[in-house]
Amino acid sequence: MNRPKRRHKTGFSYIGAGNNKSVFNKKPTKAFSKAKEKLNSSSLKGYKLEFTNCKLTEAEREHIKNDIRSKSVRKNKLTLLLSILIMIPIILVIIALIEGVLSKYR
């Protein structure tokens, strides 16, 4: 018993599209499959996707932990410094505006 095939023969009937067999016989593609592949390839360019699976020694683990801690401390200090530098002029402008408004009513 043969399995029914998807292949169509044009024979004597008109199937449209110029009576072309490839209309029926081509393999269907999933919608947006090429767009999805392009998106994935362009969005993952900057990431390292292949990792080695080796065991780390305790010294290497501690070194990595200390690097992470020092980077987070440096980031927190930089954030604090920038926020202070941004807030000082804002506070001075607010004080000047308040003094200007109060001087009109004196």
Side-chain angles (χ1 to χ4, degrees), residues 10-67:
T10 55
F12 294 107
S13 61
Y14 178 71
I15 59 171
N19 227 11
N20 195 353
K21 285 186 193 178
S22 67
V23 172
F24 287 108
N25 296 336
K26 67 180 180 181
K27 184 178 179 182
T29 57
K30 294 180 183 177
F32 302 109
S33 61
K34 290 182 181 177
K36 183 179 178 183
E37 289 172 5
K38 287 181 183 177
L39 176 66
N40 285 340
S41 65
S42 65
S43 64
L44 296 176
K45 281 182 183 175
Y47 296 102
K48 180 180 177 184
L49 299 177
E50 296 176 9
F51 299 101
T52 57
N53 226 359
C54 60
K55 297 281 184 178
L56 297 174
T57 63
E58 286 296 320
E60 290 173 334
R61 286 183 187 165
E62 288 299 319
H63 179 67
I64 292 171
K65 286 180 184 179
N66 289 336
D67 283 346

Side-chain angles (χ1 to χ4, degrees), residues 40-103:
N40 285 340
S41 65
S42 65
S43 64
L44 296 176
K45 281 182 183 175
Y47 296 102
K48 180 180 177 184
L49 299 177
E50 296 176 9
F51 299 101
T52 57
N53 226 359
C54 60
K55 297 281 184 178
L56 297 174
T57 63
E58 286 296 320
E60 290 173 334
R61 286 183 187 165
E62 288 299 319
H63 179 67
I64 292 171
K65 286 180 184 179
N66 289 336
D67 283 346
I68 293 171
R69 287 185 187 121
S70 66
K71 286 179 183 177
S72 72
V73 167
R74 193 176 317 127
K75 184 178 175 184
N76 288 341
K77 287 181 180 178
L78 181 64
T79 305
L80 180 66
L81 179 68
L82 288 176
S83 60
I84 288 173
L85 289 176
I86 291 172
M87 290 301 289
I88 288 175
I90 293 173
I91 291 172
L92 292 176
V93 168
I94 291 173
I95 290 173
L97 289 174
I98 291 173
E99 287 177 354
V101 169
L102 291 178
S103 65

